[in-house]
Amino acid sequence: MKYKIVSDSSSNILSFPKVPYATVPLKIITSEKEYVDNTALDVSRMVAELKVVKGRTQTSCPNVHEWQEAMADADAVFALTITSGLSGSYSTAEQARKDLQATDPDRKIAVIDSLSTGPEMLLLIEKIAEGIQAEKPFEQIEAEVRAYQKYTHLLFALESMTNLARNGRVNPVVAKLAGVLGIRVVGVASQQGTLELLYKPRGQEKMLSTLYDEMKARCYAGGKVRIAHCFNEPAAKGLAARIKKDFPNADIEIGLTTALCSYYAEDHGLLVGFESRSRAQ
Ligand code: X90
């Protein structure tokens, strides 16, 4: 049986060599062009162009056809999506599953709503990949990743919420308040898969200690950490150093956001996925 993981590009993981893997791209649309979230895109150029572009900008999720194409060459597929609370990606992936199974009922497809995005999705991808490599049965891998999701979290620190607010992904009043005051925000992906703002720390140092304190408050105890940043390596490394001070052996990896997360997290934004010791409340 050929297993495959298919993730939408909000995971920031466009290639994953350990197992058969593909991404389906989200897109960023401006009055001038469409940026497709794939390996061909120059993200730093996109971020620079977005700062000066005129008019409305928006995003779109992968369509049913794109999901189907990515799922079609395997008999057992784990499809992973950005939270259904903020995007239509889960719905289009589900529709692709139904259409494929209508013509081929034996095809195994599990569509998993991450209720999150970015590096929390990477943790789920890694969990599924371990199951595939250990040659576990499909249903067992699915059950294990769904159970694991209860122990993973996503925190984020943003310097601007303009694109989130303009596209209706966060309460505009809250975003405006934070934006006008030029204040950073630290927030969390809620259990319902929506964006929840927690703090407005002043300055990068305070932002990092707030993030780490919040990880510990959510029962981080030395597990895996995956950090994705939009051109803010110093902050990512600063957080990693704080964690390593308490947990020298912690498995921490740092990577860049690709197009979708760069658009919404904006320049210098930080996304932190981590494992906790106890189940989410
Ligand atoms: O379907 C679409 O057009 C995509 C919409 C995506 C909207 C939200 C993306 C958030 C990216 C920002 C901070 C983390 C928020 C976590 C919330 C669960 C990253």
Side-chain angles (χ1 to χ4, degrees), residues 47-151:
V47 170
E49 287 174 359
L50 285 173
K51 283 184 181 163
V52 294
V53 77
K54 298 217 167 31
R56 271 206 61 150
T57 59
Q58 53 182 316
T59 57
S60 72
C61 67
N63 62 40
V64 178
H65 180 72
E66 287 168 313
W67 277 111
Q68 272 177 5
E69 267 199 328
M71 291 172 175
D73 65 346
D75 351 84
V77 175
F78 297 95
L80 190 60
T81 76
I82 184 170
T83 174
S84 60
L86 296 175
S87 169
S89 189
Y90 176 76
S91 298
T92 52
E94 264 292 275
Q95 192 57 49
R97 176 188 68 76
K98 286 181 193 149
D99 292 354
L100 285 170
Q101 287 181 333
T103 47
D104 182 1
D106 292 335
R107 198 185 269 274
K108 291 177 192 280
I109 304 170
V111 179
I112 298 163
D113 180 352
S114 72
L115 296 171
S116 183
T117 189
E120 188 174 356
M121 287 169 75
L122 172 55
L123 289 171
L124 305 181
I125 291 167
E126 289 175 352
K127 186 76 182 176
I128 299 166
E130 279 169 26
I132 294 175
Q133 285 177 318
E135 296 178 16
K136 290 181 180 174
F138 183 82
E139 290 74 15
Q140 186 184 343
I141 299 173
E142 181 183 354
E144 285 179 3
V145 71
R146 290 191 190 279
Y148 178 65
Q149 267 191 292
K150 307 272 188 287
Y151 294 84

Side-chain angles (χ1 to χ4, degrees), residues 26 59-61 82-83 86-89 115-117 154 156 158 164 169 189 193-195 260-261 264-265 271:
L26 287 104
T59 57
S60 72
C61 67
I82 184 170
T83 174
L86 296 175
S87 169
S89 189
L115 296 171
S116 183
T117 189
L154 181 80
F156 54 87
L158 311 178
L164 280 168
R169 260 77 187 195
T194 54
L195 208 135
L260 192 274
C261 282
Y264 282 107
L271 305 178

Side-chain angles (χ1 to χ4, degrees), residues 186 201-211 213 242:
V186 167
R202 287 176 190 270
Q204 176 144 305
E205 284 305 302
K206 186 76 185 135
M207 179 271 277
L208 292 177
S209 56
T210 304
L211 267 180
D213 288 348
R242 279 175 160 77

